[in-house]
Each structure stands twice: as structure tokens, then as C-alpha cells.
Amino acid sequence: MPLSPRSAWHGYGKGAAIFALMMWLLLLPVAGFAAGEVVPEIIAGISRVDAEKLIELESRSNLVIVDSRLLVDRRQGYIEGSVSLTDTVTDCDSLAAVAPDVKAPILFYCNGPRCPRSARAAGIAQACGYRKVYWLRGGFDEWKQKKYPYVKK
Amino acid sequence: MSFPRLSLRTLTTLLLVVLSMALVLLSGEIYRSVAHENQRHALMDLVKIKAAEALSELENQSLDIGLAIQLEPDFRRAFEHKDADRLNFELDNQFQQYSVTTGQVKLIRLSAYDMNFALTAQSSAELVDVARNTAVCPSLLERARFRAGTARLQTIAELCMTPGGRPYYAVLVPVGGLHPVGYIKVVVDPAQSLRSIDTALGMPVRISLNDGSEAYESSAWQDQGVAQNKLIAGYTLKDEHGGSVLKISAMTDISAFNQDLAYARNLVMGVGGAITLLAVFVAMLLLQKTTLKPIELLTRQLREVRQDRKHLGEQVAVQGDAKVSELATVFNEMSSDLDKLYQKLEKMAFTDALTALPNRAQFHEMLRQAVSLSRTRESRFGLILLDLDGFKEINDTLGHHVGDVLLQQVSERLKRTIQSINIVCLLGAEDDAPHVLAGQEPAMARLGGDEFAFLLPALTNAQEVMTVAREITETLQAPFVVEGNTVAIGGSVGITLFPDHGEDGETLLRRADIALYIAKNTRNAYALYNPAHDQNSVDQLTLRAELRNAIATGELVLHYQPKLHIKTGRIHGVEALVRWQHPQHGLLMPPQFLPVAERSGLIGVLTQWVLVEALRQHNVWRRAGLDLKVAVNLSSRALYDLRLPDQIAHHLMRLQVPPSSLELEITEDAIMIDPQRALEILVRLNAMRIKLSIDDFGTGYSSLGYLKRLPVDEIKIDKTFVMEMEQSRSDAAIVHATIDLAHNLGLNVVAEGVESEGMLSMLARLNCDTAQGFYVSRPIPGELMLEWLSKSPYAQDKLMVAERV
């Protein structure tokens, strides 16, 4: 069923077009709720990395790894050395607590590519002036998928 | 529709239905096995997925164990200090702990390795088939050893098998997170975890080792042989090198599936059967239309032709395929050919082959049509029957070939005559009413032998038909020339008129025959039927039939008229004369039945009978001491019969009669029919020393000059001259001259018709040799001859002697 009002406008009568519009409006919040915010592929000014890049960054720099997930999710396991900072509580102050140096590299991850928390948090970090913001878009899913070691307590 | 064809058609239909059913069943069976195979594959894939899930879960659980162990501070400390004893203790400790706490995972061994994969510690639990100092799944460590970069951080797992055939699952977990210091290897029993597949699948599962021994079996598991409606699919788990480690079999109940299959099969069979029936029905319809119907048409035509040949040649229009059309074409061609042939045959059957005229059968049909036509139009028509005179003689003397050619010429001449009559009729009719004559032309037919018939339609009176009859007879008067022979022939004609002389064809024909007979006997050329002499004619006609029997039944008799030798006064011979002792009509004279004999072809038989009877009588007399020459009359037909001399010789020999005792009397007219031929035959007879006599001398046109050349012995002066002799001087002169001339030629002379003493004495004066007539004696029966002779003054000497004796 095409939800586009445009095609509906052309395809059906006026009543049908209004009905399609209403349906679209009705479904809009549901869709947004179900899928969360659309996670972008790329965020300007933020480096998107994969698990291997993370390991490399961690090994050659003083990388701060931020776990943007809720604690409930973190209990299923997390990347060793990561700090927990849920995106909802992420701001310049809380960031400064885990990463005082805005010039130092900082990485955000959450559950996986469908999880918007890390992207949101990375955006906040960028706004707060962090220069080297990294984003593991694949999140913990990718990490676990690739069988890299994690911590589970 | 006939029964066999129905049967064949039904049989074909049944066969097709059975075949299609068999096909459906077979395809159903094939489909069933294919479906089962698909099901098995699907189930196998399901088992594969579930096994992979179970192993993945097992890996995760093992990883969790590996991660949990390294979080133990005591273990971590011992590991970092490479305190082997402590580490062993810790591993045992952990082993014990996880063996108890983990329900699903059956822990086999825990091992610790340093960064170079050297074993630093190991749990102490003994394994069944692996020595304590031997690594389980050594290939896992080999794989780990060759990793580089970030891959060294990864957890790896593998399924393997000890040489003893036991399956193990080993997971290598790095110790120390992103900065590993060594590894923990968690070895577990895969079979234990794979058991959960049965609940995951909701099916009974059996896990078996390589040697077939059972590692696990669900309680609901049934062996394959026992299982009804059960589908079993197996999936073999393999190690890194492709060697099979264990096999997981799942069993599913497919009775519902089989039911569905059976339902589907029945449905397909039903629908297939219906479609097949429909197809067969359509095919039959097509067959009916293209083949059976046309053949039926042809068959019907055949039947109609058989019932009525008029249908022959009718073309049957047939629509069908090429073969059938060809058949129809051939059929039609054959029909046409047969029609032509049949018409030809019909024509032959109704046509006289010799003259190409309609034959008797056709003439009867023509006559029938003429009667019905004239009856409706109330018109008159004439029927003419023509019989050739003297044809038999020509046929006998000149041969059948000449006779045939003559008949052709006669018919040609008659045709022309009839055509000219036709023209006259049409011309005459033009002024009055041409429509009356439409389709009514004079017709002509040959009824057989020398008999022809004519139909003259649209006549107004008897005079017209008499005219035509006269023309017909006159046409024949001019002589014919057949192969060098000039042949004179005449014809007698009998005429009847419709409706004057008969209401139907048969009567007309019969009465025309009577008229013809009258014409013959009255020596008139033609005669119109006259009821007055009907009775007489009928009698004459019946004689024909009766004469045939008369010879056989002995109704014919010979009477003998004595011949007196004038000089000696003795009876020296007799003339045999045939009589018919008719049961109803009494004694009949030759003129009353000999013409009948001649016309009906009985004269030959009659002659033979007369010859034999006369010779027999001669013998009787001779045995009684009486020597009488016997004279027998030969008709012209008998004379020209080429077999006659031989037949006579045969009779003479058989009856022991000297030829000189037999005399043959031949009329002058008979000889004059074909003098040349007559001469030949007479010479032959003369050579046999048979006496030959010219009968009725003086009535014909023969000359004595001609007679001189004939080998005859005597002449018989016709009685007309002899009887008038006493009153007529001229007749007496003729007799006198004849006797003298005959004597000069060396011939004996017999005078016939001697009825008085005066005549006898006159003849004696004229030197006549022999006298015959009532004065001497009437013809008398043979058996009375002796008695008569004994009383007569002319008895022979021998007889006198005999009487005296």
C-alpha cells in the first residue's frame, strides 16, 4: 500500500487522498517510535569506525570508550575499558567527567546499528567541542559478532 | 451405430482412462516421493539451523564461562604470576563450580595457555579417551597460533573428535580483554547441548556418534522400521577438517502431510480423470466428425447402392481429413466406373450384339412403355413382327457367318426404311400436332434368330401400318450380296394394333405372331391380325409345341403309297409319307404340320425319324420276302444340312439296308435355292448309290438342261400335269415331251396323281416308267402293305411265291 500522499492524490479521488494522508499522519508517530530515530550512516565531523579500528585506536592512543546504552543492556556485556554514559544523561559536563581532554580521542557505541544513542551522544560530544569523536556504528552487536573479548559481570 | 464399433470406441475410451489414471497414480507416487524428499531436506535444513544455533549457544555459554573465570581475582593473579599449581587449583575450582551450576553445559576440561599457547595449567578431571597430558582439539590451538592483528583477540571455537571417537567442543577465550596475557580453553560435551534441539524443533531427536552408538535419544523417538507416517532427516556435524563428528536425526510426523498428499493425489486423479474423459470425448467427437461420420456416409451409400443400383455413380460429398477424403474420392471414382460398367452391361443385356438393335428383353420393355403411353394419350400404335423366309436354309447352306452378315445387312436396310418412315411421320405431323409425336419414334428390335419387331407409334389407322409393313417386305425383296453370294430373301410380316387387337403388350405380341403365321401359310407377304382365324392359328401354334413331343411319343406314323412299274405291272417301290396321329385333331397331313416343323427347326429331327422308320419298315418287308424300294422326301432344309449324307450312310449301315433300296425325293424348288451346293450334295449321295428323284417336276423353273447335270435317276412329273392330261392337250403334250426328254437323258419317269385307268393306259402309251396315284393305291400303313399287295393285281412274283409257300 503506497503511503505517499502524492501518488495517492494522483491515483485516487479527493476523499481517498485525504484518507491516505490521515493514515500517513496516523502511522507517522508509530513508525518513529518503533524504529527509533533514523540512524544516519554518516555524521559530519564524526569518524565512523569498525571494531578493528577501535582496537587499533585503543592500542595506540589514550582512547576513551563511551558506552551510551542503558545499564540494562550493559549488563549483557560490554567492551573492556569502556565507561558507561547513557545518552540521556550525556552533556558537556558529564562528558568532561569521563574525558576531560577535548583533544583526546573519544568513541561512542551502543547496542548496534539500529541504536541511535551513540550517534546522539557523539553529536553532543561534537557540540561540546571534542575534536576527535569516533563512532562505532555497529555497536556491541558487531563487537560480539566478531568474537572480540568483552566483559560480562 | 453398430455394436462392434461402439464396443471398440468404448474400449478405446476405457483404455485411455485407465492409462491416464495409471499415469496420475504414477506421477502421484513420484510426486509423493519427491515431496517426502523435499520434506526431508527441509527438515535437515531445520536440524542444521537448530544445531548451529545450539552450538552457537554452547559457544556463548563456554565464552561466558571463560570470561567469568578470568574475572576471578585469584585466578587472574595466579595466571599473571604463572603460578602453575595455583592455577591448576583455580581451574579445578572453577571446573567444579561450573559443572555444578551449569545445567545445560557439560564441562569436560579447562585449560590455561600463555600467549605462546604453551599449556600453563589444566583442570584435573580425567577423560575417558584422552590422556591427561594430551590436548583436546589440538587443531584449535594451531588455528589460534597462526592468527595476526586484531584476530588474535577473537574467541574461536571448534567441534572436534578424539581418536577414540568422542565428540568435543572447544572454545578458546583470550584472557585480558583487549590486552591479552594468555588463553583459556573451555572444552564441553556438544551432545549435551544439542539435546535441546528436540524441544527447539518440537520433534524427537536422536544424536548418534560416528560408530552409530547413541549419544542421546528423545523418549518419543521411534526407530525407522517401526515408525509409521514418520519422516526422519539426519544432519551430520563435521569438524574443521570435514570429518564427521556426530549425526543429529530428527523425526517428524508426516501423517497429516501424507493425508494432504493423498487428498491432493485424489484431487489430481479426479480432475485428471475428468479432463481425460473430456479430452477423450472431444477426441471421439473429432474422430466422429473427421473419420467415422464420413465412413458412415460411405457405408450408407454402399448400402443404398446395394439396395438400388440407380444410386450407383452418385457422388458422396465428404468432409474429413486427408486420408478420408482420399478414400471418398476413390470411392466416388469407383462408383462412377462401376456405374459406367453397369450401364454398359445393361446396354449389352438389352442390346443384340450382332445388329446393335434392342433385343427381345428391351423390346418387351419398349412395348410396355408404348402401351402405357398410348393408354394415357388414348392413341394408337402398331406392332409389326417380321420373320425372314428361307433364312434357315441360308444359314445351313452358306454357314452361320454368312447368316450373321446377312442379318446385319437386313437390319441396316430395315433401319433405313424405318428412319425414312420416321421422317415421313414427323413431316406429316408437323402441320397438325407435333406434340403428340414427342418421344414417339418408330422403334425396331431383333427378337432373336431371323425375327424382327417394330413399334409404330402415333398411328391413326390400320392402313398406315399396312403401308409400313409393305415397305418392310418390299425392302427385303432386292437381293443381298454377302461375301460374294447373291442371296435372295423374303420376309413375312404379322401386324397388330393397339388397342384394336389387344390391351396389353403380351396379347399384342402373341396375336402379331398369329398374324405372322397366317402370312407365312397364306404365302402373303404380310397379314393384319384378324380375330376370325384366331382359333385356327392358335391350333397351329400349339402344334409347334406338340410336334416336339409327337416324334418322341410315337404320334408320327409313315404311310406308304405304292409305285407301279407300268411295263411289268408290278409294285416295285413305295413313297413314304408322314402322318401325324394327333390325339385331338386326328390324322394330320404334311401340309398341316410340315411348315410348323420347318419354322420351329424340327425338320431335321423329323427327317431323321422318317429315314430310320422307312428303312426299318423296308427291313420288315424284306424279312417277309417283299423287296420294295423306299422313297423319302427331303425338304430343302434337310437337303442343305451338311451332315445329311453321313447320317444316311450311318442309318443304312446300322439297319443293313443296301443304298440302292433307298430313294430320296427332292423338289425342284429345293434344288433351285442353291443349285451349286445342291449339286455337290447330290453328287455325294449318288456316289453312295442312293437313288435320287426330282419331285414335283414341272412346277419350278428348272430346265431339263440343268437337270442333265444333276446325278439324278428319275423325275416325278407333278400331279397337276398328270391329272389334267386327259382334258388338256397341252398338258398331255408336256407330259409326253417330258417323258421323251427324260428318257433321252437316261432318266426314269414317274407320273404322280394317277387316278384312273385311262390315265394309266395313256401313260403306258407314252412309255412312262412308273405310275403313282389313287388309282393304284392311296398311301397305306406299312403293316397293311402285305395284305393290300396280296389282294392287288400288282403283287410281286416273290410274294406270290411266298404266299404259295
Side-chain angles (χ1 to χ4, degrees):
Chain A
M1 170 97 192
L3 290 180
S4 159
R6 197 179 159 83
S7 71
W9 190 262
H10 283 286
Y12 304 94
K14 204 172 181 179
I18 290 164
F19 174 74
L21 188 66
M22 282 171 69
M23 285 297 288
W24 185 72
L25 289 170
L26 202 75
L27 285 170
L28 194 60
V30 180
F33 188 77
E37 290 165 35
V38 176
V39 180
E41 285 289 327
I42 295 160
I43 305 168
I46 294 168
S47 302
R48 180 182 153 176
V49 296
D50 58 9
E52 285 74 26
K53 184 70 179 171
L54 186 152
I55 294 165
E56 190 204 323
L57 285 170
E58 199 273 339
S59 63
R60 65 174 167 83
S61 66
N62 192 19
L63 179 71
V64 178
I65 303 170
V66 180
D67 185 347
S68 301
R69 296 178 295 173
L70 295 172
L71 283 170
V72 167
D73 293 329
R74 186 172 168 84
R75 251 174 243 140
Q76 299 301 315
Y78 56 88
I79 297 169
E80 190 180 1
S82 63
V83 291
S84 178
L85 184 64
T86 310
D87 65 318
T88 49
V89 296
T90 302
D91 53 22
C92 294
D93 290 343
S94 58
L95 278 173
V98 294
D101 185 1
V102 293
K103 281 173 279 183
I106 186 166
L107 183 142
F108 295 90
Y109 78 92
C110 63
N111 284 330
R114 292 171 66 86
C115 167
R117 294 181 192 278
S118 55
R120 205 179 295 140
I124 293 166
Q126 193 183 26
C128 290
Y130 288 88
R131 309 264 177 83
K132 296 173 183 170
V133 181
Y134 296 93
W135 175 43
L136 179 67
R137 190 173 182 272
F140 193 68
D141 281 356
E142 180 188 337
W143 186 260
K144 207 177 168 183
Q145 189 74 43
K146 287 178 172 172
K147 298 186 187 292
Y148 288 121
Y150 59 92
V151 182
K152 191 178 177 185
K153 276 181 182 165
Chain B
M1 195 177 289
S2 64
F3 176 73
R5 195 162 59 218
L6 178 73
S7 172
L8 188 66
R9 205 183 295 181
T10 312
L11 207 69
T12 312
T13 312
L14 279 175
L15 193 70
L16 281 173
V17 168
V18 167
L19 271 176
S20 62
M21 284 297 151
L23 203 66
V24 167
L25 277 175
L26 186 69
S27 58
E29 212 40 55
I30 290 168
Y31 174 71
R32 187 182 148 92
S33 75
V34 167
H36 279 173
E37 197 52 41
N38 284 344
Q39 283 278 315
R40 191 172 287 116
H41 272 288
L43 187 56
M44 201 176 85
D45 286 344
L46 202 61
V47 171
K48 186 179 169 183
I49 290 164
K50 290 297 171 192
E53 276 178 7
L55 285 181
S56 179
E57 181 63 23
L58 186 56
E59 184 188 344
N60 281 337
Q61 285 167 341
S62 304
L63 174 63
D64 282 352
I65 291 168
L67 290 174
I69 289 169
Q70 57 182 291
L71 284 180
E72 290 297 320
D74 291 343
F75 171 81
R76 191 68 177 264
R77 203 175 303 119
F79 193 88
E80 277 167 10
H81 289 103
K82 295 193 168 114
D83 183 344
D85 291 342
R86 184 70 191 169
L87 214 48
N88 282 337
F89 171 77
E90 283 297 330
L91 283 178
D92 272 346
N93 204 11
Q94 293 296 325
F95 185 86
Q96 293 301 327
Q97 186 186 334
Y98 283 104
S99 287
V100 175
T101 58
T102 314
Q104 284 187 335
V105 180
K106 187 182 175 189
L107 208 53
I108 302 293
R109 181 184 270 182
L110 289 172
S111 310
Y113 298 91
D114 64 11
M115 282 304 287
N116 296 319
F117 301 102
L119 183 72
T120 49
Q122 189 170 271
S123 60
S124 57
E126 290 298 326
L127 300 183
V128 180
D129 55 349
V130 181
R132 190 174 158 68
N133 50 0
T134 308
V136 179
C137 299
S139 63
L140 185 68
L141 292 179
E142 291 306 307
R143 274 172 61 205
R145 212 189 295 276
F146 288 103
R147 295 181 303 174
T150 55
R152 292 175 77 97
L153 295 176
Q154 288 174 333
T155 300
I156 55 173
E158 106 176 19
L159 194 64
C160 66
M161 197 170 56
T162 59
R166 293 195 70 83
Y168 291 109
Y169 191 67
V171 181
L172 191 69
V173 184
V175 178
L178 295 180
H179 308 283
V181 289
Y183 300 92
I184 294 173
K185 188 169 81 174
V186 182
V187 179
V188 294
D189 176 8
Q192 180 69 22
S193 298
L194 290 168
R195 291 176 178 197
S196 64
I197 289 176
D198 60 1
T199 48
L201 284 172
M203 297 173 193
V205 162
R206 184 182 196 270
I207 301 171
S208 52
L209 301 181
N210 262 353
D211 58 2
S213 63
E214 168 201 322
Y216 170 73
E217 196 176 87
S218 304
S219 54
W221 180 267
Q222 289 171 295
D223 277 332
Q224 189 141 26
V226 184
Q228 282 285 333
N229 280 325
K230 297 283 195 288
L231 184 78
I232 293 172
Y235 175 67
T236 304
L237 288 172
K238 291 176 177 166
D239 64 16
E240 293 294 314
H241 310 293
S244 57
V245 177
L246 46 76
K247 184 180 176 188
I248 305 163
S249 301
M251 174 185 277
T252 182
D253 188 345
I254 52 163
S255 52
F257 178 73
N258 278 347
Q259 254 173 20
D260 284 352
L261 267 185
Y263 174 75
R265 190 189 58 198
N266 291 342
L267 191 71
V268 166
M269 267 178 72
V271 172
I275 288 171
T276 305
L277 273 175
L278 196 70
V280 167
F281 182 69
V282 169
M284 280 299 165
L285 267 183
L286 278 173
L287 190 69
Q288 171 86 17
K289 198 172 160 57
T290 60
T291 306
L292 295 182
K293 186 115 179 283
I295 286 174
E296 214 162 283
L297 277 175
L298 294 179
T299 312
R300 194 184 305 152
Q301 181 65 16
L302 271 180
R303 211 171 286 137
E304 278 176 4
V305 165
R306 211 183 141 181
Q307 276 166 2
D308 185 357
R309 288 203 183 79
K310 282 202 178 69
H311 291 292
L312 205 58
E314 279 177 10
Q315 303 292 293
V316 186
V318 160
Q319 288 179 333
D321 56 26
K323 282 282 165 201
V324 171
S325 297
E326 198 184 330
L327 176 67
T329 309
V330 172
F331 177 90
N332 283 332
E333 281 172 6
M334 190 194 70
S335 184
S336 298
D337 287 352
L338 275 178
D339 187 36
K340 279 175 203 149
L341 188 64
Y342 185 73
Q343 282 175 1
K344 203 169 161 188
L345 277 174
E346 205 167 43
K347 204 182 163 196
M348 277 167 73
F350 289 107
T351 305
D352 173 50
L354 184 64
T355 60
L357 289 170
N359 63 7
R360 181 180 284 274
Q362 176 71 359
F363 183 74
H364 280 292
E365 176 61 20
M366 286 156 64
L367 183 59
R368 194 187 58 75
Q369 285 176 8
V371 166
S372 87
L373 197 68
S374 299
R375 201 173 281 162
T376 48
R377 294 185 181 183
E378 296 184 344
S379 63
R380 215 185 222 136
F381 74 87
L383 167 64
I384 292 179
L385 281 186
L386 166 70
D387 189 275
L388 300 182
D389 296 335
F391 176 75
K392 180 91 165 73
E393 284 83 357
I394 289 160
N395 221 7
D396 290 343
T397 54
L398 300 179
H400 290 288
H401 175 66
V402 171
D404 286 349
V405 176
L406 177 66
L407 281 174
Q408 285 172 335
Q409 289 188 7
V410 166
S411 75
E412 282 305 314
R413 208 183 271 185
L414 290 170
K415 262 187 227 168
R416 278 197 298 277
T417 308
I418 287 299
Q419 275 161 7
S420 70
I421 292 163
N422 188 18
I423 291 162
V424 170
C425 280
L426 289 169
L427 286 175
E430 251 176 346
D431 303 330
D432 309 324
H435 62 275
V436 176
L437 276 168
Q440 297 193 39
E441 295 168 6
M444 173 181 170
R446 182 179 170 222
L447 301 185
D450 56 351
E451 212 173 16
F452 294 85
F454 304 85
L455 274 182
L456 304 168
L459 293 167
T460 49
N461 55 49
Q463 203 49 52
E464 284 179 10
V465 74
M466 297 293 272
T467 310
V468 174
R470 195 177 62 241
E471 278 182 34
I472 286 171
T473 51
E474 279 172 2
T475 298
L476 295 175
Q477 278 177 0
F480 292 87
V481 178
V482 182
E483 298 188 343
N485 302 294
T486 302
V487 182
I489 200 161
S492 301
V493 163
I495 306 157
T496 46
L497 289 172
F498 174 90
D500 311 54
H501 300 141
E503 293 284 331
D504 58 277
E506 201 184 324
T507 307
L508 286 170
L509 204 56
R510 187 163 49 78
R511 290 183 170 170
D513 209 22
I514 290 167
L516 173 65
Y517 183 80
I518 298 298
K520 280 250 174 197
N521 283 328
T522 56
R523 293 200 174 246
N524 282 326
Y526 49 91
L528 182 67
Y529 173 74
N530 181 355
H533 47 53
D534 194 21
Q535 185 53 49
N536 182 33
S537 309
V538 170
D539 289 347
Q540 294 289 347
L541 284 173
T542 47
L543 285 182
R544 273 206 227 186
E546 288 169 351
L547 185 58
R548 292 176 202 276
N549 293 325
I551 299 169
T553 53
E555 285 173 16
L556 291 182
V557 289
L558 286 184
H559 286 187
Y560 303 91
Q561 189 167 38
K563 288 179 173 177
L564 174 68
H565 192 248
I566 297 173
K567 273 183 185 159
T568 58
R570 300 281 181 263
I571 300 299
H572 65 101
V574 290
E575 180 181 359
L577 295 162
V578 68
R579 299 286 185 268
W580 182 0
Q581 190 64 52
H582 194 276
Q584 279 98 46
H585 306 299
L587 199 64
L588 298 180
M589 297 293 134
Q592 289 173 288
F593 63 89
L594 276 187
V596 175
E598 296 221 355
R599 282 198 62 197
S600 55
L602 284 167
I603 196 71
V605 185
L606 187 62
T607 305
Q608 295 300 312
W609 180 85
V610 170
L611 271 168
V612 172
E613 177 59 21
L615 293 174
R616 191 193 61 76
Q617 184 61 56
H618 170 83
N619 277 349
V620 171
W621 288 328
R622 200 172 56 187
R623 279 196 288 277
L626 196 60
D627 185 21
L628 292 173
K629 282 183 186 147
V630 183
V632 171
N633 291 286
L634 280 189
S635 75
S636 57
R637 293 200 184 202
L639 173 65
Y640 289 109
D641 191 337
L642 294 168
R643 295 166 298 181
L644 183 71
D646 289 340
Q647 284 166 345
I648 292 172
H650 172 74
H651 295 317
L652 288 172
M653 202 167 77
R654 189 167 65 84
L655 295 168
Q656 298 277 300
V657 176
S660 55
S661 295
L662 178 65
E663 202 167 5
L664 295 176
E665 297 187 7
I666 303 133
T667 63
E668 210 185 335
D669 290 346
I671 290 168
M672 292 315 288
I673 288 173
D674 188 352
Q676 187 60 41
R677 199 172 170 79
L679 178 62
E680 287 172 24
I681 291 165
L682 293 179
V683 164
R684 278 185 67 189
L685 292 169
N686 181 55
M688 290 163 64
R689 295 193 294 118
I690 294 165
K691 298 268 178 224
L692 298 173
S693 176
I694 304 295
D695 207 0
D696 299 343
F697 185 80
T699 56
Y701 303 95
S702 59
S703 64
L704 276 170
Y706 169 72
L707 288 179
K708 190 180 74 175
R709 294 161 54 198
L710 295 176
V712 295
D713 302 288
E714 71 176 26
I715 57 169
K716 295 182 82 173
I717 301 173
D718 193 75
K719 58 183 169 191
T720 51
F721 298 106
V722 178
M723 285 163 76
E724 299 296 316
M725 198 167 57
E726 287 179 298
Q727 280 80 38
S728 166
R729 282 176 57 91
S730 62
D731 282 340
I734 289 170
V735 172
H736 188 189
T738 304
I739 291 169
D740 281 354
L741 274 168
H743 282 165
N744 286 338
L745 291 171
L747 302 174
N748 288 322
V749 180
V750 179
E752 286 186 284
V754 179
E755 295 186 351
S756 67
E757 194 186 356
M759 280 185 193
L760 182 59
S761 54
M762 193 171 173
L763 288 167
R765 280 200 304 278
L766 292 174
N767 257 337
C768 185
D769 303 289
T770 307
Q772 184 183 348
F774 286 179
Y775 178 72
V776 180
S777 173
R778 290 172 173 273
I780 52 174
E783 62 270 19
L784 298 179
M785 184 60 75
L786 274 170
E787 189 189 339
W788 173 81
L789 208 55
S790 64
K791 290 174 183 169
S792 77
Y794 317 114
Q796 289 182 342
D797 293 339
K798 282 178 185 173
L799 186 68
M800 297 297 133
V801 173
E803 275 196 341
R804 279 186 222 113
V805 173

